[in-house]
Amino acid sequence: MFRRLTSNLGLVFAIVVAMALLAEWAVRLLWPQPLIHALVRYDPLLGARGAPFGQVSIVRPDGGRHTIRLNAMGFRMSEELSQSNERHRILMYGGDEIFAAHLPIHQTVFGLLKNATEAKNRRFQLVNTAVSGHSVQSTRLLMMEQIPDLQPRALVYIFDAGNFARTLVSGDRTAVGKLRYDNSGRPILVDLSRSPQFKYLDWIRRSLGWLHRHSQLTTVIMTHANQTFDWARKLLGEDVAEIRLTELPRRAGESADIREIMYLSELHFLRMARTANTSDVPILVAWLPAPQELGDGSAASSMAEILRSHRQMLERLANGNRNFAFWSSVVAGRTPPDSDQLFESRGFGAGNLTAYGSRWYADLAAPAIITFLNSATDSAH
Protein backbone atom coordinates (compact mmCIF):
# COMPACT_ATOMS: atom_id res chain seq x y z
CA MET A 1 0.00 0.00 0.00
CA PHE A 2 2.76 2.39 0.97
CA ARG A 3 4.76 1.48 -2.14
CA ARG A 4 1.75 2.14 -4.38
CA LEU A 5 1.12 5.51 -2.67
CA THR A 6 4.76 6.46 -3.14
CA SER A 7 4.71 5.55 -6.83
CA ASN A 8 1.47 7.50 -7.33
CA LEU A 9 2.91 10.58 -5.64
CA GLY A 10 6.02 10.27 -7.81
CA LEU A 11 3.87 10.08 -10.92
CA VAL A 12 1.83 13.13 -9.87
CA PHE A 13 5.04 15.07 -9.14
CA ALA A 14 6.49 14.14 -12.55
CA ILE A 15 3.27 15.24 -14.30
CA VAL A 16 3.26 18.58 -12.43
CA VAL A 17 6.92 19.23 -13.32
CA ALA A 18 6.29 18.32 -16.97
CA MET A 19 3.26 20.62 -17.15
CA ALA A 20 5.24 23.46 -15.55
CA LEU A 21 8.07 23.03 -18.07
CA LEU A 22 5.56 22.94 -20.93
CA ALA A 23 3.87 26.11 -19.64
CA GLU A 24 7.27 27.82 -19.29
CA TRP A 25 8.15 26.89 -22.87
CA ALA A 26 4.77 28.16 -24.13
CA VAL A 27 5.18 31.52 -22.36
CA ARG A 28 8.69 32.00 -23.74
CA LEU A 29 7.47 31.16 -27.25
CA LEU A 30 4.12 32.98 -27.35
CA TRP A 31 4.32 35.67 -24.70
CA PRO A 32 7.95 36.46 -23.83
CA GLN A 33 8.46 38.45 -20.63
CA PRO A 34 11.41 40.65 -19.64
CA LEU A 35 13.17 38.87 -16.77
CA ILE A 36 13.85 42.16 -15.00
CA HIS A 37 14.34 40.32 -11.70
CA ALA A 38 17.45 38.71 -13.18
CA LEU A 39 19.12 42.02 -12.37
CA VAL A 40 18.53 41.86 -8.61
CA ARG A 41 19.03 39.41 -5.78
CA TYR A 42 17.15 39.22 -2.53
CA ASP A 43 18.59 41.06 0.44
CA PRO A 44 17.05 40.69 3.94
CA LEU A 45 17.75 44.33 4.87
CA LEU A 46 17.33 46.23 1.60
CA GLY A 47 14.77 43.94 0.00
CA ALA A 48 16.88 43.76 -3.18
CA ARG A 49 20.29 44.75 -4.47
CA GLY A 50 21.93 44.58 -7.88
CA ALA A 51 23.16 41.16 -9.04
CA PRO A 52 26.84 41.25 -10.11
CA PHE A 53 27.15 40.83 -13.89
CA GLY A 54 23.34 40.65 -14.21
CA GLN A 55 22.12 40.86 -17.79
CA VAL A 56 18.70 40.94 -19.45
CA SER A 57 17.27 41.93 -22.83
CA ILE A 58 14.34 44.39 -22.82
CA VAL A 59 11.76 44.78 -25.61
CA ARG A 60 10.28 48.28 -25.45
CA PRO A 61 6.65 49.17 -26.33
CA ASP A 62 7.90 50.89 -29.50
CA GLY A 63 9.39 47.60 -30.70
CA GLY A 64 12.96 48.57 -29.94
CA ARG A 65 15.28 46.37 -27.89
CA HIS A 66 18.15 47.08 -25.54
CA THR A 67 20.30 45.02 -23.20
CA ILE A 68 20.90 45.90 -19.56
CA ARG A 69 24.28 44.84 -18.18
CA LEU A 70 25.45 45.29 -14.61
CA ASN A 71 29.10 45.51 -13.65
CA ALA A 72 30.97 43.41 -11.09
CA MET A 73 29.37 45.30 -8.18
CA GLY A 74 25.83 45.03 -9.55
CA PHE A 75 25.69 48.66 -10.73
CA ARG A 76 24.05 49.61 -14.02
CA MET A 77 27.09 51.08 -15.78
CA SER A 78 29.63 49.73 -18.23
CA GLU A 79 32.75 50.73 -16.32
CA GLU A 80 34.03 49.47 -12.99
CA LEU A 81 34.87 51.70 -10.05
CA SER A 82 38.08 53.62 -10.59
CA GLN A 83 40.80 52.88 -8.06
CA SER A 84 42.75 56.01 -8.92
CA ASN A 85 43.24 58.63 -6.21
CA GLU A 86 42.85 61.23 -8.96
CA ARG A 87 39.15 60.41 -9.44
CA HIS A 88 36.33 61.70 -7.24
CA ARG A 89 33.81 58.93 -6.69
CA ILE A 90 30.22 60.28 -6.73
CA LEU A 91 27.42 57.87 -5.80
CA MET A 92 24.03 58.46 -7.45
CA TYR A 93 20.76 57.12 -6.00
CA GLY A 94 17.19 57.31 -7.17
CA GLY A 95 15.48 53.92 -7.46
CA ASP A 96 13.58 53.25 -10.68
CA GLU A 97 14.17 56.71 -12.18
CA ILE A 98 17.96 56.36 -12.07
CA PHE A 99 18.11 52.62 -12.77
CA ALA A 100 15.58 53.17 -15.62
CA ALA A 101 15.36 49.61 -16.96
CA HIS A 102 12.87 50.73 -19.62
CA LEU A 103 15.49 52.87 -21.41
CA PRO A 104 18.91 52.29 -22.98
CA ILE A 105 21.59 53.53 -20.60
CA HIS A 106 22.58 56.51 -22.80
CA GLN A 107 18.99 57.81 -22.69
CA THR A 108 18.59 57.58 -18.91
CA VAL A 109 18.93 60.47 -16.45
CA PHE A 110 22.06 58.81 -15.06
CA GLY A 111 23.68 58.31 -18.47
CA LEU A 112 22.99 61.90 -19.51
CA LEU A 113 24.15 63.38 -16.18
CA LYS A 114 27.27 61.22 -16.19
CA ASN A 115 28.26 62.45 -19.65
CA ALA A 116 27.52 66.09 -18.81
CA THR A 117 29.25 66.02 -15.42
CA GLU A 118 32.38 64.11 -16.40
CA ALA A 119 32.77 66.27 -19.52
CA LYS A 120 33.00 69.31 -17.24
CA ASN A 121 35.41 67.67 -14.81
CA ARG A 122 37.29 64.51 -15.77
CA ARG A 123 38.16 63.84 -12.14
CA PHE A 124 34.53 63.00 -11.37
CA GLN A 125 33.30 59.43 -11.69
CA LEU A 126 29.54 59.15 -11.33
CA VAL A 127 28.53 55.72 -10.05
CA ASN A 128 25.02 54.37 -10.61
CA THR A 129 24.23 52.78 -7.24
CA ALA A 130 20.44 52.96 -7.82
CA VAL A 131 18.48 49.72 -7.45
CA SER A 132 15.16 49.16 -9.19
CA GLY A 133 12.31 49.35 -6.70
CA HIS A 134 14.26 51.09 -3.95
CA SER A 135 12.39 53.66 -1.85
CA VAL A 136 13.60 56.42 0.46
CA GLN A 137 14.07 53.88 3.28
CA SER A 138 16.11 51.33 1.30
CA THR A 139 18.10 54.16 -0.30
CA ARG A 140 19.08 55.55 3.10
CA LEU A 141 20.13 52.09 4.31
CA LEU A 142 22.19 51.57 1.15
CA MET A 143 23.90 54.94 1.69
CA MET A 144 24.85 53.95 5.24
CA GLU A 145 26.41 50.74 3.91
CA GLN A 146 28.23 52.24 0.93
CA ILE A 147 29.74 55.36 2.50
CA PRO A 148 32.34 53.39 4.52
CA ASP A 149 32.70 50.66 1.88
CA LEU A 150 33.11 52.79 -1.26
CA GLN A 151 34.59 55.97 0.26
CA PRO A 152 32.70 58.46 -1.98
CA ARG A 153 33.45 62.18 -2.11
CA ALA A 154 29.76 63.10 -2.43
CA LEU A 155 26.27 61.63 -2.87
CA VAL A 156 23.43 62.68 -5.18
CA TYR A 157 19.89 61.42 -4.54
CA ILE A 158 17.25 62.03 -7.23
CA PHE A 159 14.04 61.97 -5.19
CA ASP A 160 11.05 60.90 -7.30
CA ALA A 161 8.12 63.01 -6.09
CA GLY A 162 5.74 61.14 -8.42
CA ASN A 163 6.47 57.85 -6.72
CA PHE A 164 6.08 59.49 -3.31
CA ALA A 165 2.70 60.90 -4.41
CA ARG A 166 1.57 57.39 -5.38
CA THR A 167 2.66 56.15 -1.95
CA LEU A 168 0.57 58.86 -0.27
CA VAL A 169 -2.50 58.01 -2.33
CA SER A 170 -2.21 54.24 -1.87
CA GLY A 171 -1.27 54.40 1.81
CA ASP A 172 1.48 51.81 1.24
CA ARG A 173 3.97 52.12 4.10
CA THR A 174 6.44 49.51 2.85
CA ALA A 175 8.38 52.30 1.14
CA VAL A 176 8.90 54.29 4.33
CA GLY A 177 9.01 51.71 7.14
CA LYS A 178 7.17 52.04 10.43
CA LEU A 179 7.25 53.85 13.75
CA ARG A 180 7.74 52.46 17.21
CA TYR A 181 7.23 54.42 20.39
CA ASP A 182 9.61 54.34 23.34
CA ASN A 183 8.57 54.37 27.01
CA SER A 184 8.20 58.13 27.02
CA GLY A 185 5.92 58.06 23.97
CA ARG A 186 8.46 59.47 21.51
CA PRO A 187 8.32 58.02 17.97
CA ILE A 188 11.32 55.99 16.78
CA LEU A 189 12.05 55.02 13.17
CA VAL A 190 12.31 51.22 12.84
CA ASP A 191 14.44 49.54 10.18
CA LEU A 192 14.07 45.92 9.13
CA SER A 193 15.89 43.33 11.21
CA ARG A 194 18.19 40.45 10.23
CA SER A 195 16.77 38.43 13.13
CA PRO A 196 17.68 34.68 13.02
CA GLN A 197 14.03 33.73 13.55
CA PHE A 198 13.32 34.84 10.00
CA LYS A 199 15.99 32.65 8.37
CA TYR A 200 13.40 30.14 7.13
CA LEU A 201 11.32 32.94 5.65
CA ASP A 202 14.45 34.37 4.00
CA TRP A 203 15.17 30.96 2.45
CA ILE A 204 11.65 30.91 0.94
CA ARG A 205 12.12 34.44 -0.40
CA ARG A 206 15.48 33.54 -1.93
CA SER A 207 13.92 30.51 -3.62
CA LEU A 208 11.06 32.57 -5.01
CA GLY A 209 13.57 35.19 -6.08
CA TRP A 210 15.52 32.56 -8.02
CA LEU A 211 12.32 31.50 -9.82
CA HIS A 212 11.45 35.12 -10.55
CA ARG A 213 14.91 35.70 -12.06
CA HIS A 214 14.87 32.62 -14.29
CA SER A 215 11.22 31.78 -15.04
CA GLN A 216 9.06 33.82 -17.40
CA LEU A 217 6.06 31.79 -16.24
CA THR A 218 6.67 32.99 -12.68
CA THR A 219 6.84 36.58 -13.96
CA VAL A 220 3.43 36.17 -15.63
CA ILE A 221 1.94 34.59 -12.49
CA MET A 222 3.30 37.33 -10.20
CA THR A 223 2.12 40.10 -12.53
CA HIS A 224 -1.41 38.71 -12.69
CA ALA A 225 -1.44 38.03 -8.95
CA ASN A 226 -0.65 41.68 -8.26
CA GLN A 227 -3.34 42.78 -10.71
CA THR A 228 -5.85 40.47 -9.03
CA PHE A 229 -4.92 41.81 -5.62
CA ASP A 230 -5.43 45.41 -6.81
CA TRP A 231 -8.77 44.45 -8.37
CA ALA A 232 -9.88 42.79 -5.12
CA ARG A 233 -8.96 45.88 -3.11
CA LYS A 234 -11.06 48.05 -5.41
CA LEU A 235 -13.95 45.58 -5.27
CA LEU A 236 -13.89 45.64 -1.47
CA GLY A 237 -13.80 49.43 -1.43
CA GLU A 238 -10.38 49.62 0.20
CA ASP A 239 -8.67 51.55 -2.57
CA VAL A 240 -7.45 54.78 -1.04
CA ALA A 241 -7.05 56.20 -4.54
CA GLU A 242 -10.81 56.76 -4.50
CA ILE A 243 -10.18 59.74 -2.22
CA ARG A 244 -10.83 62.91 -4.15
CA LEU A 245 -7.55 64.81 -4.54
CA THR A 246 -9.30 67.98 -3.37
CA GLU A 247 -9.60 66.33 0.04
CA LEU A 248 -5.94 65.42 0.40
CA PRO A 249 -4.76 68.61 2.17
CA ARG A 250 -7.50 68.17 4.77
CA ARG A 251 -6.72 64.47 5.04
CA ALA A 252 -3.01 65.24 5.40
CA GLY A 253 -3.96 66.97 8.62
CA GLU A 254 -6.65 64.54 9.71
CA SER A 255 -5.60 61.14 8.31
CA ALA A 256 -3.18 59.27 10.53
CA ASP A 257 -1.92 57.25 7.53
CA ILE A 258 -1.01 60.22 5.36
CA ARG A 259 0.45 62.16 8.28
CA GLU A 260 2.56 59.18 9.34
CA ILE A 261 3.90 58.51 5.82
CA MET A 262 5.00 62.13 5.48
CA TYR A 263 6.56 62.07 8.93
CA LEU A 264 8.40 58.80 8.22
CA SER A 265 9.82 60.25 5.00
CA GLU A 266 11.01 63.29 6.92
CA LEU A 267 12.74 61.06 9.48
CA HIS A 268 14.61 59.23 6.71
CA PHE A 269 15.89 62.52 5.29
CA LEU A 270 16.84 63.70 8.76
CA ARG A 271 18.93 60.56 9.22
CA MET A 272 20.52 61.12 5.81
CA ALA A 273 21.49 64.61 6.91
CA ARG A 274 22.99 63.30 10.15
CA THR A 275 24.89 60.60 8.27
CA ALA A 276 26.28 63.23 5.89
CA ASN A 277 27.42 65.38 8.81
CA THR A 278 28.95 62.47 10.73
CA SER A 279 30.78 60.96 7.74
CA ASP A 280 31.66 64.37 6.28
CA VAL A 281 30.35 63.21 2.90
CA PRO A 282 28.05 65.90 1.41
CA ILE A 283 24.71 64.85 -0.07
CA LEU A 284 22.51 66.64 -2.57
CA VAL A 285 18.81 65.74 -2.78
CA ALA A 286 17.50 66.75 -6.21
CA TRP A 287 13.71 66.93 -6.58
CA LEU A 288 12.22 65.14 -9.60
CA PRO A 289 8.73 66.66 -9.95
CA ALA A 290 5.52 64.66 -10.00
CA PRO A 291 3.20 65.04 -13.02
CA GLN A 292 0.74 66.91 -10.75
CA GLU A 293 3.37 69.64 -10.26
CA LEU A 294 3.85 70.25 -13.97
CA GLY A 295 0.33 70.62 -15.38
CA ASP A 296 -1.32 73.92 -16.23
CA GLY A 297 -3.42 73.66 -13.08
CA SER A 298 -0.55 72.69 -10.81
CA ALA A 299 -0.97 75.82 -8.70
CA ALA A 300 -4.43 74.64 -7.67
CA SER A 301 -3.52 70.94 -7.44
CA SER A 302 -4.08 69.42 -4.02
CA MET A 303 -1.31 66.89 -4.46
CA ALA A 304 1.06 69.66 -5.58
CA GLU A 305 0.20 71.50 -2.33
CA ILE A 306 1.17 68.45 -0.25
CA LEU A 307 4.40 67.96 -2.21
CA ARG A 308 5.18 71.66 -1.78
CA SER A 309 5.13 71.17 1.99
CA HIS A 310 7.57 68.26 1.58
CA ARG A 311 9.94 70.47 -0.44
CA GLN A 312 9.77 73.08 2.29
CA MET A 313 10.76 70.42 4.82
CA LEU A 314 13.81 69.52 2.71
CA GLU A 315 14.73 73.20 2.42
CA ARG A 316 14.64 73.52 6.22
CA LEU A 317 16.89 70.47 6.56
CA ALA A 318 19.33 71.94 4.05
CA ASN A 319 19.44 75.22 5.95
CA GLY A 320 20.14 73.44 9.23
CA ASN A 321 22.78 70.91 8.11
CA ARG A 322 26.10 71.87 6.56
CA ASN A 323 26.55 68.70 4.46
CA PHE A 324 22.95 68.37 3.31
CA ALA A 325 21.89 70.32 0.20
CA PHE A 326 18.57 70.47 -1.61
CA TRP A 327 17.73 71.51 -5.16
CA SER A 328 14.19 71.82 -6.46
CA SER A 329 13.30 71.55 -10.13
CA VAL A 330 9.93 73.18 -9.44
CA VAL A 331 10.38 76.92 -9.94
CA ALA A 332 7.57 79.44 -9.84
CA GLY A 333 7.15 81.32 -13.10
CA ARG A 334 8.85 78.65 -15.24
CA THR A 335 6.67 77.51 -18.15
CA PRO A 336 5.59 73.95 -17.29
CA PRO A 337 6.33 71.29 -19.94
CA ASP A 338 3.74 68.84 -21.19
CA SER A 339 3.83 66.08 -18.59
CA ASP A 340 2.31 63.62 -21.11
CA GLN A 341 5.56 63.80 -23.09
CA LEU A 342 7.74 63.49 -20.01
CA PHE A 343 6.36 60.30 -18.45
CA GLU A 344 5.79 56.80 -19.82
CA SER A 345 2.11 55.84 -20.00
CA ARG A 346 2.45 52.12 -20.77
CA GLY A 347 4.77 49.15 -20.38
CA PHE A 348 6.72 48.22 -17.25
CA GLY A 349 8.25 51.72 -17.26
CA ALA A 350 4.85 53.38 -16.83
CA GLY A 351 5.06 56.44 -14.61
CA ASN A 352 8.81 56.88 -15.17
CA LEU A 353 10.50 59.45 -17.38
CA THR A 354 10.55 58.91 -21.14
CA ALA A 355 13.72 59.45 -23.16
CA TYR A 356 12.48 62.99 -23.84
CA GLY A 357 11.68 63.51 -20.15
CA SER A 358 15.10 62.19 -19.11
CA ARG A 359 16.80 64.67 -21.43
CA TRP A 360 14.62 67.49 -20.10
CA TYR A 361 15.39 66.70 -16.47
CA ALA A 362 19.11 66.04 -17.02
CA ASP A 363 19.51 69.38 -18.81
CA LEU A 364 17.68 71.08 -15.95
CA ALA A 365 19.58 69.38 -13.13
CA ALA A 366 23.11 69.19 -14.56
CA PRO A 367 24.18 72.79 -13.72
CA ALA A 368 23.01 72.49 -10.10
CA ILE A 369 24.64 69.06 -9.66
CA ILE A 370 27.94 70.20 -11.19
CA THR A 371 27.99 73.28 -8.95
CA PHE A 372 27.32 71.11 -5.89
CA LEU A 373 30.03 68.59 -6.81
CA ASN A 374 32.62 71.31 -7.45
CA SER A 375 31.84 72.82 -4.06
CA ALA A 376 31.84 69.44 -2.29
CA THR A 377 35.13 68.24 -3.73
CA ASP A 378 36.84 71.61 -3.33
CA SER A 379 35.88 71.80 0.36
CA ALA A 380 36.96 68.18 0.88
CA HIS A 381 40.27 68.89 -0.82
Side-chain angles (χ1 to χ4, degrees), residues 73 88 95 125 135 137 143 174 188 198 230 234 236 272 291 320 327 330 335 338 364 372 378:
M73 297 197 69
H88 298 321
Q125 185 191 28
S135 62
Q137 179 186 38
M143 287 178 181
T174 58
I188 302 173
F198 295 116
D230 292 339
K234 292 178 181 179
L236 294 173
M272 286 183 195
W327 173 79
V330 181
T335 303
D338 183 0
L364 200 62
F372 164 76
D378 286 347

Side-chain angles (χ1 to χ4, degrees), residues 148-376:
D149 289 350
L150 302 183
Q151 300 287 305
R153 298 293 292 271
L155 312 177
V156 177
Y157 178 24
I158 308 296
F159 179 69
D160 182 4
N163 186 54
F164 183 66
R166 291 189 290 273
T167 298
L168 285 174
V169 172
S170 68
D172 182 10
R173 302 190 194 186
T174 58
V176 290
K178 61 180 180 179
L179 288 175
R180 187 179 61 197
Y181 295 89
D182 61 17
N183 295 332
S184 61
R186 292 179 301 180
I188 302 173
L189 184 63
V190 178
D191 292 325
L192 297 175
S193 172
R194 295 176 183 263
S195 173
Q197 62 182 335
F198 295 116
K199 281 186 176 180
Y200 181 70
L201 183 59
D202 284 348
W203 180 84
I204 294 176
R205 287 175 174 168
R206 291 179 191 278
S207 301
L208 291 175
W210 186 91
L211 282 173
H212 214 169
R213 290 195 303 272
H214 296 86
S215 170
Q216 296 189 20
L217 176 62
T218 302
T219 299
V220 171
I221 293 173
M222 295 295 292
T223 300
H224 282 77
N226 290 332
Q227 291 174 350
T228 302
F229 176 73
D230 292 339
W231 174 81
R233 281 204 316 170
K234 292 178 181 179
L235 186 65
L236 294 173
E238 297 178 358
D239 190 1
V240 187
E242 294 298 322
I243 302 169
R244 291 187 336 188
L245 289 182
T246 54
E247 298 178 1
L248 277 175
R250 176 177 60 80
R251 287 183 61 86
E254 298 177 4
S255 166
D257 287 340
I258 293 177
R259 191 166 60 246
E260 185 168 316
I261 289 173
M262 296 183 70
Y263 180 60
L264 282 164
S265 178
E266 180 176 351
L267 287 180
H268 286 298
F269 282 114
L270 178 60
R271 287 200 180 182
M272 286 183 195
R274 290 174 177 172
T275 299
N277 290 335
T278 303
S279 63
D280 205 26
V281 177
I283 176 175
L284 170 68
V285 175
W287 187 272
L288 173 62
Q292 295 92 330
E293 298 178 280
L294 299 174
D296 293 333
S298 59
S301 166
S302 299
M303 180 58 76
E305 184 178 336
I306 289 179
L307 295 176
R308 189 181 305 117
S309 70
H310 219 55
R311 294 202 309 273
Q312 292 168 351
M313 175 273 296
L314 289 168
E315 290 169 357
R316 290 194 299 271
L317 276 180
N319 292 332
N321 295 272
R322 61 184 176 85
N323 278 334
F324 186 90
F326 174 65
W327 173 79
S328 174
S329 53
V330 181
V331 178
R334 177 185 292 154
T335 303
D338 183 0
S339 61
D340 291 337
Q341 294 182 352
L342 299 181
F343 298 94
E344 296 282 359
S345 60
R346 59 196 177 106
F348 73 91
N352 295 330
L353 290 171
T354 62
Y356 173 81
S358 298
R359 169 65 66 180
W360 166 79
Y361 184 76
D363 288 345
L364 200 62
I369 291 176
I370 292 171
T371 300
F372 164 76
L373 294 180
N374 285 330
S375 174

Side-chain angles (χ1 to χ4, degrees), residues 56-73:
V56 69
S57 181
I58 301 294
V59 179
R60 301 188 296 275
D62 62 5
R65 181 187 294 268
H66 65 272
T67 299
I68 298 176
R69 295 182 178 88
L70 308 187
N71 67 8
M73 297 197 69

